[in-house]
Amino acid sequence: MKKSAYYLLLLAAVPLAFSCNQGTKNSVKGDAAAKADSLKKSDCFQAIDGKDTADLKIKTLSAGKIAGKLVINYLDKGKNDGLVEGNFKGDTLFVDYTFKIGTSNPTVYKNPLAFLKKDGKLVMGVGQIETSLGKSYFVKGKPINFDKGRFVFAPVDCKD
């Protein structure tokens, strides 16, 4: 009877040990993929509108996802500093911009942004935004106007 229990326990332990090793291999592979993504080249852009400036640094990740940083310096309002995440749909980059305003305000804001890729530049569009269940998004059926955008981002050399 003791031998039967021992063999049963051993039989149950083998698949468990095998599954633990599989998870380790996957996480190593995931770490390698993340490292490869981090080695990809970044694209940097700058926009100037009067005395207001904006700097955008984006990186193309796997599956066409875009991630990066956007800092907008308004002369009168201070600095919006945050991260962008999204993807291209055709020639338009749609991102969620998660940012803080200034250094003393702890509130985190999240807004959608759209950029039209045109002649090597990214033109920020203006569109009607709606919020539902705490998520802001462009209103479906309402066009985004890229002619009224304040910022036209031209490519610049990245500063590391």
Side-chain angles (χ1 to χ4, degrees), residues 78-150:
K79 178 168 79 167
N80 293 2
D81 189 350
L83 302 174
V84 293
E85 291 181 322
N87 55 16
F88 273 98
K89 292 182 182 172
D91 59 356
T92 307
L93 173 61
F94 291 95
V95 297
D96 285 322
Y97 179 39
T98 305
F99 63 100
K100 287 187 175 185
I101 299 173
T103 56
S104 61
N105 184 355
T107 306
V108 175
Y109 301 92
K110 189 169 187 174
N111 285 334
L113 298 176
F115 301 89
L116 178 64
K117 190 170 189 177
K118 184 176 179 183
D119 299 326
K121 298 179 180 178
L122 294 174
V123 180
M124 184 186 288
V126 177
Q128 187 174 347
I129 296 175
E130 188 172 79
T131 302
S132 176
L133 300 172
K135 171 105 169 109
S136 296
Y137 54 90
F138 288 108
V139 177
K140 288 185 182 183
K142 299 279 184 174
I144 298 171
N145 188 331
F146 293 98
D147 294 328
K148 290 186 178 180
R150 286 186 61 192

Side-chain angles (χ1 to χ4, degrees), residues 13-26:
V14 170
L16 180 62
F18 181 73
S19 68
C20 289
N21 286 338
Q22 291 299 320
T24 303
K25 288 180 185 176
N26 288 341

